[in-house]
Structures are given as structure tokens and as C-alpha cells.
Amino acid sequence: MNYTEFTGKTVEEAIETGLKELGISKDQADIRVVEEGKKKLFGAVKARVEIAVKEEEKKLTDGERTLVFLEGLFKLLDISATTELVSEGDKVEINVTAGNTNSVIGKRGAMLDAIQTLAGAVANTGREDYKRVVVDCENYRENREVTLSKLAENLAQKAIRLGKKIKLEPMNPYERRIIHSALSEREGVKTESEGKEPNRYIVVVPDNLEDPTAEAIEARNDRNRGRNDGRGGYNRDRKNNARGSFGNKGGRKFKRDGGATNSGGTSMKNNDFFGIFLGNSGNKDE
């Protein structure tokens, strides 16, 4: 702070003079008494004070406030990560960089989605209008969108080739919207969402549907590591791929997915839907 010295016959007078000259109240001032002032046999010593305007506490923006929260959250979770406010306008965009990205992203983005929901709650505290908050970790969301868009096209081709509806595994609203958007202008198919959260899923319906009453066949593929079977479709190894389980190879979970396996090597039931749904609460697909 920048201090200015003022004098007077007494400390009170010096302070009053300083406040008046600076145009501030006593509450807005930081005051230091340099000399009390006193009378002497011959003359007097004036009182001297130094006054500075207090630095107002910086009011954080919604994005800055969210960064502070995330830093505290990662500290509590014992996650080594740094945050960066990428942009703040119609929406708040934050990027997270971590030594171990899996600790931030989680299985199929469940952890990242949950962090995003909490960040959104913090950013919108006290706001009348809702501001969207996007938390990403080293370009995960963009890469995910590319992967899902490719998956959507492959399943559209498969649905048309077989003349049957294809049912995907349950996805969160964010990922369902990507599938809907990818096939919205695709000729020969349409998409529908069925089921209830957190088990809501997409069905790809071809225009050349052979039997409208037939149940949709399941897309037995890994959204992350789909393996082409050479016929435009994906690996349909019924023996090794557990029903409804994605990310399997020979019935075993990839270590990077963080999935558990039982003693027989087959994947255990996926119970992380809560995290997936939580991470996108309030977002609805069409």
C-alpha cells in the first residue's frame, strides 16, 4: 500500500486531515501513527500519521472462484493436478493437467463428469441465470467426441446392412447427445433414446428395418477400443465378451479402465453409473 504522511497538533487532527484529503472514511484507511505529538517548553512537536487506502479484497469471477474450489478439491483427494481457466464468457471452460490423468478422468469419464458437476454448482452459486461449466482433462472430451462419432457411423452402417435396430449400452446425456448429433443428418437411420436414468440408452433404427416388432440387437463393442470384424461391423465374440460389458478383451477388463475382474477373469458388473449420471445432471438429450 502507498502511504501518505499527514500532520496535526494531535493524532486525531492529523488523521482527520488525512481522511479528508484522501476522500475516504476511517474504515477504508490503514493508519500508522509515526509521532504522537507533544508540547515542549519552547514550541511543540506535531503529531504525524501515515495513511493508505486499504486494498479492496479482490472479487473473484465465477471461473476464478471455481479454480480455487478445484484446487482445494484435488488437495483433499490427494490428486496432483493443476487447473487453468481457458475461457469465461457464455460458459466457463477449465482444463486440468494431472500426472495421472486416470485419477481425474475416471472410468469412461465418470470422475471428470462428477468434478464438472461440482464445479458447475460452485460457479453458479448466487447467480440467477445458469452458466454452463465445462471441465476437461488434457483434451479428453474432444477425443471422446471423435471416438463416439466414429462409433455412431459404424453402427449406422451395421444397422442398415442387417436391417435391424441396434441398442447401445447406457450412456450419460452428454455422450447420448454426441451420438444423436452425429447421426442427425445421416441418411438411412434415425436414433431414439429409451430407458430411464441412469440406464438410458440409444437405439439406432435403420429405415430398411425388416421387423419393427423385433427387439434391438446389442452393439457388442467397446466404445474406446472397438475392433473391426472386417465386415464393417465390430467384434461379436459372444464367448469372450460379457453381455453389456464394454472395454473387454477376452473377457478381461483393461487395466487402464480401472475395472475389477473376478477370479474367473470375466468382467464384474459395472456399478459406476451413479458417477456418470451425476457428472451430467441437468443435461438432457433429445
Side-chain angles (χ1 to χ4, degrees):
M1 291 185 287
N2 295 319
Y3 287 87
T4 304
E5 184 176 297
F6 300 94
T7 61
K9 293 181 180 180
T10 63
V11 171
E12 290 73 19
E13 182 180 291
I15 293 174
E16 184 178 351
T17 300
L19 296 178
K20 185 175 181 179
E21 187 171 324
L22 294 174
I24 59 175
S25 66
K26 197 169 185 178
D27 292 337
Q28 297 172 306
D30 187 79
I31 302 171
R32 301 190 305 201
V33 178
V34 179
E35 177 65 55
E36 291 283 353
K38 57 183 177 180
K39 292 183 179 181
K40 301 179 71 175
L41 182 60
F42 299 100
V45 176
K46 289 185 177 181
R48 295 163 51 213
V49 298
E50 292 180 338
I51 301 177
V53 180
K54 286 182 178 179
E55 291 186 359
E56 295 184 5
E57 184 177 349
K58 182 181 178 183
K59 185 177 180 181
L60 300 179
T61 65
D62 297 328
E64 292 170 338
R65 189 172 66 252
T66 306
L67 285 186
V68 173
F69 165 76
L70 289 178
E71 289 169 1
L73 177 63
F74 290 137
K75 186 175 181 179
L76 287 174
L77 296 175
D78 197 24
I79 295 176
S80 177
T82 58
T83 57
E84 176 190 4
L85 184 59
V86 179
S87 65
E88 183 173 13
D90 295 335
K91 64 179 178 180
V92 175
E93 294 183 272
I94 296 172
N95 185 60
V96 179
T97 303
N100 179 7
T101 56
N102 285 339
S103 64
V104 176
I105 297 173
K107 187 176 181 181
R108 297 175 190 160
M111 182 68 168
L112 187 62
D113 287 343
I115 291 173
Q116 178 172 288
T117 294
L118 294 175
V122 172
N124 284 281
T125 299
R127 291 182 58 88
E128 293 183 1
D129 56 320
Y130 185 82
K131 178 177 285 189
R132 185 184 174 203
V133 176
V134 177
V135 179
D136 200 357
C137 181
E138 301 185 27
N139 223 30
Y140 167 81
R141 295 196 183 282
E142 182 177 341
N143 293 335
R144 188 63 167 162
E145 184 171 347
V146 171
T147 298
L148 290 176
S149 295
K150 290 180 178 178
L151 168 66
E153 175 58 28
N154 285 326
L155 293 182
Q157 293 178 15
K158 183 175 180 179
I160 294 173
R161 186 179 74 252
L162 299 178
K164 296 181 179 180
K165 295 184 289 186
I166 297 181
K167 169 184 174 182
L168 282 73
E169 74 163 353
M171 297 181 184
N172 59 47
Y174 164 74
E175 296 193 336
R176 292 200 304 270
R177 281 201 305 274
I178 294 176
I179 300 292
H180 285 308
S181 177
L183 298 181
S184 61
E185 298 182 5
R186 210 298 188 175
E187 294 184 359
V189 298
K190 64 179 180 179
T191 56
E192 300 173 349
S193 286
E194 298 181 4
K196 296 182 179 180
E197 299 291 6
N199 298 315
R200 196 162 171 78
Y201 57 89
I202 285 180
V203 176
V204 179
V205 184
D207 293 345
N208 63 338
L209 184 63
E210 296 177 355
D211 184 1
T213 63
E215 291 188 6
I217 61 175
E218 293 190 8
R220 297 176 179 274
N221 61 280
D222 180 359
R223 289 185 290 153
N224 291 308
R225 297 171 62 89
R227 301 173 64 192
N228 198 297
D229 63 5
R231 293 173 293 174
Y234 280 76
N235 191 323
R236 291 176 291 175
D237 186 347
R238 297 176 179 270
K239 179 178 180 181
N240 292 326
N241 281 322
R243 187 176 186 81
S245 176
F246 287 65
N248 291 350
K249 181 177 180 181
R252 301 184 66 184
K253 288 285 186 182
F254 288 107
K255 183 178 293 185
R256 67 186 181 91
D257 283 339
T261 58
N262 60 22
S263 59
T266 57
S267 63
M268 298 175 68
K269 184 178 179 181
N270 182 358
N271 291 316
D272 65 345
F273 285 124
F274 174 76
I276 294 177
F277 180 52
L278 173 64
N280 293 275
S281 57
N283 297 332
K284 297 181 179 179
D285 63 318
E286 298 176 354

